[in-house]
Amino acid sequence: MFAHSELATAYFMKGLGLKPDNYRIVNTYFEEEIYYAFSKDTDNAEIFRLNQALKTIKSPSTNGISRFDEIVAEYLPNGKLE
């Protein structure tokens, strides 16, 4: 039994030599949105650049798959965030 996020659990399982695809989620305790947190002193231009970078990796490439989707597929057993 793991009580972590799906992403963290998949990462831990791979580190233990377990195949996440051999397991399934049977209970979800609660779900939380994930946000960035920045110091109040962080330059707004830097936050803008980070948001643009995220938007870029979420844009589909010529094959119709975004870099974001490729990263998620590598670490999540079902290949997607739910």
Coordinates of all heavy atoms in Angstrom, one line a residue:
M1 N 0.8 -1.2 0.0 CA 0.0 0.0 0.0 C 0.9 1.2 0.0 O 1.9 1.3 0.7 CB -0.9 0.0 1.2 CG -1.8 1.2 1.3 SD -3.0 1.0 2.6 CE -2.8 2.5 3.4
F2 N 0.6 2.2 -0.8 CA 1.3 3.4 -0.9 C 0.3 4.6 -0.7 O -0.8 4.5 -1.2 CB 1.9 3.7 -2.3 CG 3.0 2.8 -2.6 CD1 2.9 1.6 -3.2 CD2 4.3 3.1 -2.2 CE1 3.9 0.7 -3.5 CE2 5.4 2.3 -2.5 CZ 5.2 1.1 -3.2
A3 N 0.7 5.5 0.1 CA -0.2 6.7 0.4 C 0.5 7.9 -0.1 O 1.0 8.7 0.7 CB -0.6 6.8 1.8
H4 N 0.7 8.0 -1.4 CA 1.4 9.2 -2.0 C 0.7 9.6 -3.3 O -0.2 8.9 -3.7 CB 2.9 8.8 -2.3 CG 3.7 8.5 -1.2 ND1 4.3 9.5 -0.4 CD2 4.2 7.3 -0.7 CE1 5.0 8.9 0.6 NE2 4.9 7.6 0.4
S5 N 1.2 10.6 -3.9 CA 0.6 11.0 -5.2 C 0.9 9.9 -6.2 O 1.8 9.0 -6.0 CB 1.2 12.3 -5.7 OG 2.5 12.1 -6.0
E6 N 0.1 9.8 -7.2 CA 0.3 8.8 -8.3 C 1.7 8.9 -8.9 O 2.3 7.9 -9.1 CB -0.8 8.9 -9.3 CG -0.8 7.8 -10.3 CD -2.0 7.9 -11.3 OE1 -2.9 8.7 -11.1 OE2 -2.0 7.2 -12.3
L7 N 2.1 10.1 -9.1 CA 3.4 10.3 -9.7 C 4.5 9.8 -8.8 O 5.4 9.1 -9.2 CB 3.6 11.8 -10.0 CG 5.0 12.2 -10.6 CD1 5.2 11.5 -12.0 CD2 5.0 13.7 -10.9
A8 N 4.5 10.2 -7.5 CA 5.5 9.8 -6.5 C 5.5 8.3 -6.4 O 6.5 7.7 -6.3 CB 5.3 10.5 -5.2
T9 N 4.3 7.7 -6.3 CA 4.2 6.2 -6.1 C 4.8 5.5 -7.3 O 5.6 4.5 -7.1 CB 2.7 5.8 -5.9 OG1 2.3 6.5 -4.7 CG2 2.6 4.3 -5.8
A10 N 4.5 6.0 -8.5 CA 5.1 5.3 -9.7 C 6.6 5.4 -9.7 O 7.3 4.5 -10.0 CB 4.6 6.0 -11.0
Y11 N 7.1 6.6 -9.3 CA 8.6 6.7 -9.2 C 9.2 5.8 -8.1 O 10.2 5.1 -8.4 CB 8.9 8.2 -8.8 CG 10.3 8.5 -8.7 CD1 11.1 8.7 -9.8 CD2 10.9 8.6 -7.5 CE1 12.5 9.0 -9.7 CE2 12.3 8.9 -7.3 CZ 13.0 9.1 -8.5 OH 14.4 9.4 -8.4
F12 N 8.5 5.7 -6.9 CA 9.0 4.8 -5.9 C 9.0 3.4 -6.3 O 9.9 2.6 -6.1 CB 8.2 5.0 -4.6 CG 8.3 6.3 -3.9 CD1 7.2 6.8 -3.2 CD2 9.5 7.0 -3.8 CE1 7.3 8.0 -2.6 CE2 9.6 8.2 -3.2 CZ 8.5 8.7 -2.5
M13 N 7.9 3.0 -7.0 CA 7.8 1.6 -7.4 C 8.9 1.2 -8.4 O 9.4 0.2 -8.3 CB 6.4 1.4 -8.0 CG 5.3 1.5 -7.0 SD 3.6 1.4 -7.7 CE 3.5 -0.4 -7.8
K14 N 9.1 2.1 -9.4 CA 10.2 1.9 -10.3 C 11.5 1.7 -9.6 O 12.3 0.8 -10.0 CB 10.2 3.0 -11.4 CG 9.1 2.9 -12.4 CD 9.2 3.9 -13.5 CE 8.1 3.8 -14.5 NZ 8.2 4.7 -15.6
G15 N 11.8 2.5 -8.6 CA 13.0 2.4 -7.8 C 13.1 1.1 -7.1 O 14.2 0.6 -6.8
L16 N 12.0 0.5 -6.7 CA 11.9 -0.8 -6.0 C 11.9 -2.0 -7.0 O 11.8 -3.1 -6.5 CB 10.7 -0.8 -5.1 CG 10.7 0.2 -3.9 CD1 9.3 0.2 -3.3 CD2 11.8 -0.2 -2.9
G17 N 11.9 -1.7 -8.3 CA 11.9 -2.7 -9.2 C 10.5 -3.3 -9.5 O 10.4 -4.3 -10.1
L18 N 9.5 -2.5 -9.1 CA 8.1 -3.0 -9.3 C 7.6 -2.3 -10.6 O 8.0 -1.2 -10.9 CB 7.2 -2.5 -8.1 CG 7.6 -3.1 -6.8 CD1 6.8 -2.4 -5.7 CD2 7.5 -4.6 -6.7
K19 N 6.7 -3.0 -11.2 CA 6.1 -2.4 -12.4 C 4.7 -1.8 -12.1 O 3.8 -2.5 -11.7 CB 5.8 -3.5 -13.5 CG 7.1 -4.1 -14.0 CD 6.8 -5.1 -15.1 CE 8.1 -5.6 -15.7 NZ 7.9 -6.5 -16.8
P20 N 4.6 -0.4 -12.2 CA 3.4 0.2 -11.8 C 2.2 -0.3 -12.6 O 1.1 -0.3 -12.1 CB 3.7 1.7 -12.1 CG 5.1 1.8 -12.0 CD 5.7 0.5 -12.5
D21 N 2.4 -0.8 -13.8 CA 1.3 -1.3 -14.6 C 0.6 -2.5 -14.0 O -0.5 -2.9 -14.3 CB 1.7 -1.6 -16.0 CG 2.0 -0.3 -16.8 OD1 1.5 0.7 -16.4 OD2 2.8 -0.4 -17.8
N22 N 1.4 -3.2 -13.1 CA 0.8 -4.4 -12.4 C -0.1 -4.1 -11.2 O -0.5 -5.0 -10.6 CB 2.0 -5.3 -12.0 CG 2.7 -5.9 -13.1 OD1 2.2 -6.0 -14.2 ND2 3.9 -6.4 -12.9
Y23 N -0.2 -2.8 -11.0 CA -1.0 -2.4 -9.8 C -2.1 -1.4 -10.2 O -2.0 -0.9 -11.3 CB -0.1 -1.7 -8.8 CG 1.0 -2.6 -8.2 CD1 2.1 -2.9 -8.9 CD2 0.7 -3.3 -7.0 CE1 3.1 -3.7 -8.4 CE2 1.7 -4.2 -6.5 CZ 2.9 -4.4 -7.2 OH 3.8 -5.2 -6.8
R24 N -3.1 -1.2 -9.4 CA -4.2 -0.3 -9.7 C -4.5 0.5 -8.5 O -4.3 0.0 -7.3 CB -5.4 -1.0 -10.3 CG -6.1 -1.9 -9.3 CD -7.2 -2.6 -10.0 NE -7.8 -3.6 -9.2 CZ -8.9 -3.4 -8.4 NH1 -9.5 -2.2 -8.4 NH2 -9.4 -4.3 -7.6
I25 N -5.0 1.7 -8.7 CA -5.5 2.5 -7.6 C -6.9 2.0 -7.2 O -7.8 1.9 -8.0 CB -5.5 4.0 -8.0 CG1 -4.1 4.5 -8.4 CG2 -6.2 4.9 -6.9 CD1 -4.1 5.9 -9.0
V26 N -7.0 1.7 -5.9 CA -8.3 1.2 -5.4 C -9.0 2.2 -4.5 O -10.2 2.1 -4.3 CB -8.2 -0.1 -4.7 CG1 -7.7 -1.2 -5.7 CG2 -7.2 0.0 -3.5
N27 N -8.2 3.2 -4.0 CA -8.9 4.2 -3.1 C -8.1 5.5 -3.2 O -6.9 5.5 -3.2 CB -8.8 3.7 -1.6 CG -9.7 4.6 -0.7 OD1 -10.4 5.4 -1.2 ND2 -9.5 4.3 0.6
T28 N -8.8 6.6 -3.3 CA -8.2 7.9 -3.3 C -8.6 8.6 -2.1 O -9.8 8.8 -1.8 CB -8.6 8.7 -4.6 OG1 -8.2 7.9 -5.7 CG2 -7.9 10.1 -4.6
Y29 N -7.7 9.0 -1.3 CA -8.0 9.7 0.0 C -8.5 11.1 -0.2 O -9.5 11.5 0.3 CB -6.8 9.7 0.9 CG -6.3 8.3 1.3 CD1 -5.2 7.7 0.7 CD2 -7.1 7.6 2.3 CE1 -4.9 6.4 1.1 CE2 -6.7 6.3 2.6 CZ -5.6 5.7 2.1 OH -5.2 4.5 2.4
F30 N -7.8 11.8 -1.0 CA -8.2 13.2 -1.4 C -7.3 13.6 -2.6 O -6.3 13.0 -2.8 CB -8.1 14.2 -0.2 CG -6.7 14.4 0.3 CD1 -5.9 15.3 -0.2 CD2 -6.3 13.6 1.4 CE1 -4.6 15.4 0.3 CE2 -5.0 13.7 1.9 CZ -4.2 14.6 1.3
E31 N -7.8 14.6 -3.3 CA -7.1 15.1 -4.4 C -6.8 16.6 -4.2 O -7.6 17.3 -3.7 CB -7.8 14.9 -5.7 CG -7.9 13.4 -6.1 CD -8.6 13.2 -7.4 OE1 -8.4 14.0 -8.3 OE2 -9.3 12.2 -7.6
E32 N -5.6 17.0 -4.6 CA -5.2 18.4 -4.4 C -4.7 18.9 -5.8 O -4.1 18.2 -6.5 CB -4.1 18.5 -3.4 CG -4.4 18.2 -2.0 CD -5.3 19.2 -1.3 OE1 -5.2 20.4 -1.7 OE2 -6.1 18.9 -0.5
E33 N -5.0 20.2 -6.1 CA -4.4 20.8 -7.2 C -2.9 21.1 -6.9 O -2.6 21.3 -5.7 CB -5.1 22.1 -7.5 CG -6.5 21.9 -8.0 CD -6.7 21.3 -9.3 OE1 -5.8 21.5 -10.2 OE2 -7.7 20.6 -9.5
I34 N -2.1 21.1 -7.8 CA -0.7 21.4 -7.6 C -0.4 22.8 -8.2 O -0.8 23.2 -9.3 CB 0.2 20.4 -8.3 CG1 -0.1 19.0 -7.7 CG2 1.7 20.7 -8.2 CD1 0.6 17.9 -8.4
Y35 N 0.3 23.6 -7.4 CA 0.6 25.0 -7.7 C 2.1 25.3 -7.5 O 2.7 24.6 -6.7 CB -0.2 26.0 -6.9 CG -1.7 25.9 -7.0 CD1 -2.4 25.0 -6.2 CD2 -2.3 26.6 -8.0 CE1 -3.8 24.9 -6.4 CE2 -3.7 26.5 -8.2 CZ -4.4 25.6 -7.4 OH -5.8 25.5 -7.5
Y36 N 2.6 26.2 -8.2 CA 3.9 26.8 -7.9 C 3.8 27.7 -6.8 O 2.8 28.4 -6.6 CB 4.5 27.6 -9.1 CG 4.8 26.9 -10.4 CD1 4.1 27.1 -11.5 CD2 5.9 26.0 -10.4 CE1 4.5 26.4 -12.7 CE2 6.3 25.3 -11.5 CZ 5.6 25.6 -12.7 OH 5.9 24.9 -13.8
A37 N 4.9 27.8 -6.0 CA 4.9 28.8 -4.9 C 6.2 29.6 -5.1 O 7.3 29.0 -5.3 CB 4.9 28.1 -3.5
F38 N 6.1 30.9 -5.1 CA 7.2 31.8 -5.2 C 7.3 32.8 -4.1 O 6.3 33.1 -3.5 CB 7.1 32.6 -6.5 CG 7.1 31.8 -7.8 CD1 5.9 31.3 -8.4 CD2 8.3 31.4 -8.4 CE1 5.9 30.6 -9.5 CE2 8.3 30.6 -9.5 CZ 7.1 30.2 -10.1
S39 N 8.5 33.2 -3.8 CA 8.7 34.3 -2.9 C 8.0 35.5 -3.4 O 7.9 35.8 -4.6 CB 10.2 34.5 -2.7 OG 10.4 35.8 -2.1
K40 N 7.5 36.4 -2.5 CA 6.9 37.7 -2.9 C 8.0 38.5 -3.7 O 7.6 39.4 -4.4 CB 6.5 38.4 -1.7 CG 5.3 37.8 -1.0 CD 4.8 38.7 0.2 CE 5.9 38.8 1.2 NZ 5.4 39.6 2.4
D41 N 9.2 38.2 -3.5 CA 10.3 39.0 -4.1 C 10.7 38.5 -5.5 O 11.5 39.1 -6.2 CB 11.6 39.0 -3.2 CG 11.3 39.6 -1.9 OD1 10.5 40.5 -1.8 OD2 12.0 39.2 -0.9
T42 N 10.0 37.4 -6.0 CA 10.3 36.9 -7.3 C 9.8 37.8 -8.3 O 8.7 38.3 -8.3 CB 9.7 35.5 -7.5 OG1 10.1 34.6 -6.5 CG2 10.0 34.9 -8.8
D43 N 10.7 38.1 -9.3 CA 10.4 39.0 -10.4 C 9.2 38.5 -11.2 O 9.2 37.3 -11.6 CB 11.7 39.2 -11.2 CG 11.5 40.2 -12.4 OD1 10.5 40.9 -12.4 OD2 12.3 40.1 -13.3
N44 N 8.3 39.3 -11.5 CA 7.1 38.8 -12.3 C 7.5 38.4 -13.7 O 6.9 37.5 -14.2 CB 6.1 40.0 -12.4 CG 5.3 40.2 -11.2 OD1 5.2 39.3 -10.3 ND2 4.7 41.4 -11.0
A45 N 8.6 38.9 -14.2 CA 9.1 38.5 -15.5 C 9.6 37.0 -15.5 O 9.4 36.3 -16.4 CB 10.2 39.4 -16.0
E46 N 10.2 36.6 -14.3 CA 10.6 35.3 -14.2 C 9.5 34.3 -14.1 O 9.5 33.2 -14.7 CB 11.5 35.1 -12.9 CG 12.1 33.8 -12.7 CD 13.1 33.3 -13.7 OE1 13.6 34.2 -14.4 OE2 13.3 32.1 -13.9
I47 N 8.4 34.7 -13.4 CA 7.2 33.9 -13.3 C 6.6 33.7 -14.7 O 6.2 32.6 -15.1 CB 6.2 34.4 -12.3 CG1 6.9 34.4 -10.9 CG2 4.9 33.7 -12.3 CD1 6.1 35.1 -9.8
F48 N 6.6 34.8 -15.4 CA 6.0 34.8 -16.8 C 6.8 33.8 -17.6 O 6.2 33.0 -18.4 CB 6.0 36.2 -17.4 CG 5.5 36.2 -18.8 CD1 4.2 36.2 -19.1 CD2 6.4 36.2 -19.9 CE1 3.7 36.2 -20.4 CE2 6.0 36.2 -21.2 CZ 4.6 36.3 -21.4
R49 N 8.1 33.9 -17.6 CA 9.0 33.0 -18.4 C 8.7 31.5 -18.0 O 8.7 30.6 -18.9 CB 10.5 33.3 -18.2 CG 10.9 34.5 -18.9 CD 12.4 34.7 -19.0 NE 13.0 35.0 -17.6 CZ 13.1 36.2 -17.1 NH1 12.7 37.2 -17.7 NH2 13.6 36.3 -15.9
L50 N 8.6 31.2 -16.7 CA 8.3 29.8 -16.3 C 7.0 29.4 -16.8 O 6.8 28.2 -17.3 CB 8.4 29.7 -14.8 CG 9.8 29.8 -14.2 CD1 9.7 30.0 -12.7 CD2 10.6 28.6 -14.5
N51 N 6.0 30.2 -16.7 CA 4.6 29.9 -17.3 C 4.7 29.6 -18.8 O 4.0 28.8 -19.3 CB 3.6 30.9 -16.9 CG 3.1 30.8 -15.5 OD1 2.9 29.7 -15.0 ND2 2.8 31.9 -14.9
Q52 N 5.5 30.5 -19.5 CA 5.6 30.3 -20.9 C 6.3 29.0 -21.3 O 5.9 28.3 -22.2 CB 6.4 31.5 -21.6 CG 5.6 32.8 -21.6 CD 4.2 32.6 -22.3 OE1 3.2 32.6 -21.7 NE2 4.3 32.5 -23.6
A53 N 7.3 28.6 -20.5 CA 8.0 27.4 -20.7 C 7.1 26.2 -20.5 O 7.1 25.2 -21.3 CB 9.2 27.3 -19.7
L54 N 6.2 26.3 -19.4 CA 5.2 25.2 -19.2 C 4.2 25.1 -20.4 O 3.9 24.0 -20.8 CB 4.5 25.4 -17.9 CG 3.5 24.4 -17.5 CD1 4.2 23.0 -17.3 CD2 2.9 24.7 -16.1
K55 N 3.8 26.3 -20.8 CA 2.9 26.3 -21.9 C 3.5 25.7 -23.2 O 2.9 24.9 -23.9 CB 2.5 27.7 -22.2 CG 1.4 27.9 -23.3 CD 1.2 29.4 -23.6 CE -0.2 29.8 -23.3 NZ -0.4 31.2 -23.7
T56 N 4.8 25.9 -23.4 CA 5.5 25.4 -24.5 C 5.6 23.9 -24.5 O 5.3 23.2 -25.5 CB 6.9 26.0 -24.6 OG1 6.8 27.4 -24.8 CG2 7.7 25.4 -25.8
I57 N 6.0 23.3 -23.3 CA 6.1 21.9 -23.2 C 4.8 21.2 -23.3 O 4.7 20.0 -23.6 CB 7.0 21.4 -22.1 CG1 6.3 21.6 -20.7 CG2 8.3 22.0 -22.1 CD1 6.9 20.9 -19.6
K58 N 3.7 21.9 -23.0 CA 2.3 21.3 -23.1 C 1.7 21.4 -24.5 O 0.7 20.7 -24.8 CB 1.4 22.0 -22.1 CG 1.6 21.5 -20.7 CD 0.6 22.1 -19.7 CE 0.5 21.4 -18.4 NZ -0.6 21.7 -17.6
S59 N 2.4 22.1 -25.4 CA 1.9 22.2 -26.8 C 2.3 21.0 -27.5 O 3.4 20.5 -27.5 CB 2.5 23.4 -27.4 OG 2.1 24.6 -26.8
P60 N 1.3 20.4 -28.3 CA 1.7 19.2 -29.0 C 2.7 19.5 -30.1 O 2.7 20.5 -30.7 CB 0.3 18.8 -29.7 CG -0.7 19.5 -28.9 CD -0.1 20.8 -28.4
S61 N 3.6 18.5 -30.4 CA 4.6 18.7 -31.4 C 4.0 18.1 -32.7 O 2.8 17.8 -32.8 CB 5.8 17.9 -31.1 OG 5.6 16.5 -31.0
T62 N 4.8 18.0 -33.7 CA 4.2 17.5 -35.0 C 3.6 16.1 -35.0 O 2.8 15.8 -35.8 CB 5.4 17.5 -36.1 OG1 6.5 16.8 -35.6 CG2 5.8 19.0 -36.4
N63 N 4.1 15.3 -34.0 CA 3.5 14.0 -33.9 C 2.2 14.0 -33.0 O 1.6 12.9 -32.8 CB 4.5 13.0 -33.3 CG 4.9 13.3 -31.9 OD1 4.4 14.2 -31.2 ND2 5.8 12.5 -31.3
G64 N 1.8 15.2 -32.6 CA 0.5 15.3 -31.8 C 0.7 15.0 -30.3 O -0.3 15.1 -29.6
I65 N 1.9 14.8 -29.9 CA 2.2 14.5 -28.5 C 3.1 15.6 -27.9 O 4.1 15.9 -28.5 CB 2.9 13.1 -28.3 CG1 2.0 12.0 -28.8 CG2 3.2 12.9 -26.8 CD1 2.6 10.7 -28.9
S66 N 2.7 16.1 -26.8 CA 3.6 17.2 -26.2 C 4.7 16.6 -25.4 O 4.6 15.4 -24.9 CB 2.7 18.1 -25.3 OG 2.3 17.4 -24.1
R67 N 5.7 17.4 -25.1 CA 6.8 16.9 -24.3 C 6.3 16.7 -22.9 O 6.7 15.7 -22.2 CB 7.9 18.0 -24.2 CG 9.1 17.6 -23.4 CD 9.8 16.4 -23.9 NE 10.9 16.1 -23.0 CZ 11.1 14.8 -22.5 NH1 10.3 13.8 -22.8 NH2 12.0 14.6 -21.6
F68 N 5.3 17.5 -22.4 CA 4.7 17.2 -21.1 C 4.1 15.9 -21.0 O 4.3 15.1 -20.1 CB 3.7 18.3 -20.9 CG 3.0 18.2 -19.6 CD1 3.5 18.7 -18.4 CD2 1.7 17.6 -19.5 CE1 2.9 18.6 -17.2 CE2 1.1 17.5 -18.2 CZ 1.7 18.0 -17.1
D69 N 3.3 15.5 -22.1 CA 2.7 14.1 -22.1 C 3.8 13.0 -22.1 O 3.6 12.0 -21.5 CB 1.8 14.0 -23.3 CG 0.6 14.8 -23.3 OD1 0.1 15.2 -22.1 OD2 0.0 15.2 -24.3
E70 N 4.9 13.3 -22.8 CA 6.0 12.3 -22.8 C 6.6 12.1 -21.4 O 6.8 11.0 -21.0 CB 7.1 12.7 -23.8 CG 6.7 12.6 -25.2 CD 7.7 13.2 -26.2 OE1 8.7 13.9 -25.7 OE2 7.6 13.0 -27.4
I71 N 6.8 13.2 -20.7 CA 7.3 13.1 -19.3 C 6.3 12.4 -18.4 O 6.7 11.5 -17.7 CB 7.6 14.5 -18.8 CG1 8.8 15.1 -19.6 CG2 8.0 14.5 -17.3 CD1 9.0 16.6 -19.4
V72 N 5.0 12.8 -18.5 CA 4.0 12.1 -17.7 C 4.0 10.6 -18.0 O 3.9 9.8 -17.1 CB 2.7 12.8 -17.9 CG1 1.5 12.0 -17.2 CG2 2.7 14.2 -17.3
A73 N 4.0 10.3 -19.2 CA 3.9 8.8 -19.6 C 5.1 8.0 -19.1 O 5.0 6.9 -18.8 CB 3.9 8.7 -21.1
E74 N 6.2 8.7 -18.9 CA 7.4 8.0 -18.4 C 7.3 7.7 -16.9 O 7.8 6.7 -16.5 CB 8.6 8.9 -18.6 CG 9.9 8.3 -18.2 CD 11.1 9.2 -18.5 OE1 11.0 10.1 -19.3 OE2 12.2 8.9 -17.9
Y75 N 6.6 8.5 -16.2 CA 6.5 8.4 -14.7 C 5.2 7.9 -14.2 O 5.2 7.3 -13.1 CB 6.9 9.7 -14.1 CG 8.3 10.0 -14.3 CD1 8.7 10.9 -15.3 CD2 9.3 9.4 -13.5 CE1 10.1 11.2 -15.5 CE2 10.7 9.7 -13.8 CZ 11.0 10.6 -14.7 OH 12.3 10.9 -15.0
L76 N 4.1 8.0 -14.9 CA 2.8 7.6 -14.4 C 2.4 6.2 -15.0 O 2.6 6.1 -16.2 CB 1.7 8.6 -14.7 CG 1.9 9.9 -13.9 CD1 0.7 10.8 -14.2 CD2 1.9 9.6 -12.4
P77 N 1.9 5.3 -14.2 CA 1.6 4.0 -14.8 C 0.6 4.0 -15.9 O 0.6 3.2 -16.8 CB 1.1 3.2 -13.5 CG 0.9 4.2 -12.5 CD 1.7 5.4 -12.8
N78 N -0.4 4.9 -15.8 CA -1.4 4.9 -16.8 C -1.1 6.0 -17.9 O -1.9 6.2 -18.8 CB -2.8 5.2 -16.3 CG -3.0 6.5 -15.6 OD1 -2.0 7.3 -15.6 ND2 -4.1 6.8 -15.0
G79 N 0.0 6.6 -17.8 CA 0.5 7.6 -18.8 C -0.3 8.9 -18.9 O -0.2 9.6 -19.8
K80 N -1.0 9.2 -17.8 CA -1.7 10.5 -17.8 C -2.0 11.0 -16.4 O -2.1 10.2 -15.5 CB -3.1 10.4 -18.6 CG -4.0 9.4 -18.0 CD -5.3 9.3 -18.8 CE -6.2 8.2 -18.2 NZ -7.4 8.0 -19.0
L81 N -2.2 12.2 -16.3 CA -2.6 12.8 -15.0 C -4.1 12.8 -15.0 O -4.8 13.1 -15.9 CB -2.1 14.3 -14.9 CG -0.7 14.5 -14.7 CD1 -0.3 16.0 -14.8 CD2 -0.2 14.0 -13.4
E82 N -4.7 12.4 -13.8 CA -6.2 12.3 -13.7 C -6.6 13.3 -12.7 O -6.0 13.7 -11.8 CB -6.6 11.0 -13.3 CG -6.3 10.0 -14.4 CD -6.7 8.6 -14.0 OE1 -7.4 8.4 -13.0 OE2 -6.5 7.6 -14.8

